[in-house]
């Protein structure tokens, strides 16, 4: 990463092996949330030694193959916490993960990028996550990339969009104090993580 000037890494993936036919099993560690979390935590700790921040992915319930856009995933809270959230929790609380890539699926009826219960209440308030959340590549998915969805997502705890489109779209919200404050917080989180990476690489 240092040799190529890269400061962020779209990995590790900690979604679970739910089927031997899942197309991205090669990116993920295990069918077990605890094992996946422990392995990912050590990978992240190793990467962070020299300032590489890792986009822990795909948060959350993105098990069925290649980026399941349009999928509605239903799950009980107990199952979610005991299995699917477990590797993310361990990676953050033990590994120090400071960036997250959200998923393309909907969780119940809500897009993962607007799910305040997960992005703010669990991720930040319960686990103490201080980094930023980037969407997965949302090109062509209106329930993630639409301007009004992006405004809702910023308030919910999303920070950055991959292939995010025009930033002038934020102009229509400039008089909305809730959204402006959320944008400021998002900028703070992104700059916090990136400045730590730069400092670790010996740049003042």
């Amino acid at each position: 990463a240092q040799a190529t000037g890269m400061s962020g890494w779209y990995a590790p993936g900690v979604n679970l092996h739910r089927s031997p036919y899942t197309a991205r099993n090669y990116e993920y560690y295990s069918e077990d949330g605890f094992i996946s979390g422990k392995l990912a935590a050590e990978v992240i700790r190793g990467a962070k030694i020299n300032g590489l921040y890792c986009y822990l992915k795909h948060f959350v319930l993105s098990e069925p193959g290649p980026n399941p856009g349009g999928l509605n995933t239903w799950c009980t809270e107990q199952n979610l916490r005991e299995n699917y959230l477990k590797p993310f929790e361990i990676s953050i609380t033990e590994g120090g993960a400071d960036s997250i890539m959200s998923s393309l699926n909907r969780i119940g009826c809500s897009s993962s990028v607007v799910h305040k219960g997960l992005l703010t209440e669990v991720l930040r308030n319960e686990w103490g996550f201080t980094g930023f959340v980037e969407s997965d590549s949302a090109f062509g998915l209106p329930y993630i990339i639409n301007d009004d969805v992006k405004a809702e997502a910023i308030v919910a705890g999303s920070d950055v969009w991959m292939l995010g489109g025009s930033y002038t779209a934020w102009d229509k919200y400039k008089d909305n104090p809730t959204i402006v404050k959320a944008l400021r917080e998002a900028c703070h989180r992104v700059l916090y993580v990136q400045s730590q990476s730069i400092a670790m690489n010996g740049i003042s």
Side-chain angles (χ1 to χ4, degrees):
Q2 286 183 327
T4 58
M6 183 174 70
S7 55
W9 180 35
Y10 284 150
V14 294
N15 297 114
L16 303 182
H17 294 183
R18 301 306 296 153
S19 163
Y21 303 109
T22 298
R24 299 183 78 166
N25 276 349
Y26 69 94
E27 287 188 57
Y28 308 141
Y29 293 107
S30 169
E31 74 283 359
D32 183 275
F34 179 78
I35 293 171
S36 297
K38 288 291 188 179
L39 290 168
E42 293 307 312
V43 167
I44 291 164
R45 281 157 49 97
K48 287 185 70 175
I49 288 171
N50 290 305
L52 183 67
Y53 53 92
C54 303
Y55 291 85
L56 186 64
K57 62 181 189 176
H58 303 86
F59 192 70
V60 63
L61 292 172
S62 183
E63 271 67 23
N67 290 350
L71 179 73
N72 292 60
T73 310
W74 302 89
C75 183
T76 65
E77 183 175 351
Q78 180 178 355
N79 188 12
L80 183 64
R81 287 182 178 275
E82 290 180 357
N83 294 296
Y84 300 101
L85 285 176
K86 186 58 67 177
F88 291 95
E89 179 182 10
I90 294 170
S91 298
I92 291 164
T93 59
E94 297 182 17
D98 50 15
S99 46
I100 294 266
M101 183 187 294
S102 57
S103 56
L104 294 181
N105 55 296
R106 294 179 182 90
I107 299 162
C109 293
S110 298
S111 164
S112 66
V113 299
V114 301
H115 204 299
K116 189 170 185 177
L118 288 169
L119 297 179
T120 297
E121 299 303 329
V122 172
L123 191 60
R124 295 190 167 94
N125 295 347
E126 288 188 27
W127 299 345
F129 179 72
T130 57
F132 69 94
V133 177
E134 179 176 349
S135 78
D136 202 342
S137 179
F139 183 76
L141 295 176
Y143 63 89
I144 292 180
I145 206 71
N146 174 282
D147 288 345
D148 291 329
V149 171
K150 287 165 72 174
E152 183 183 356
I154 278 284
V155 173
S158 292
D159 301 298
V160 178
W161 276 259
M162 190 188 302
L163 306 178
S166 170
Y167 286 93
T168 58
W170 293 110
D171 289 348
K172 68 180 180 179
Y173 304 109
K174 66 185 177 184
D175 296 321
N176 184 317
T178 302
I179 294 174
V180 170
K181 181 182 178 186
L183 281 167
R184 180 178 177 177
E185 287 301 312
C187 291
H188 171 254
R189 290 190 287 256
V190 173
L191 291 171
Y192 175 73
V193 171
Q194 293 184 337
S195 64
Q196 282 187 314
S197 172
I198 290 168
M200 289 285 290
N201 282 300
I203 301 169
S204 65

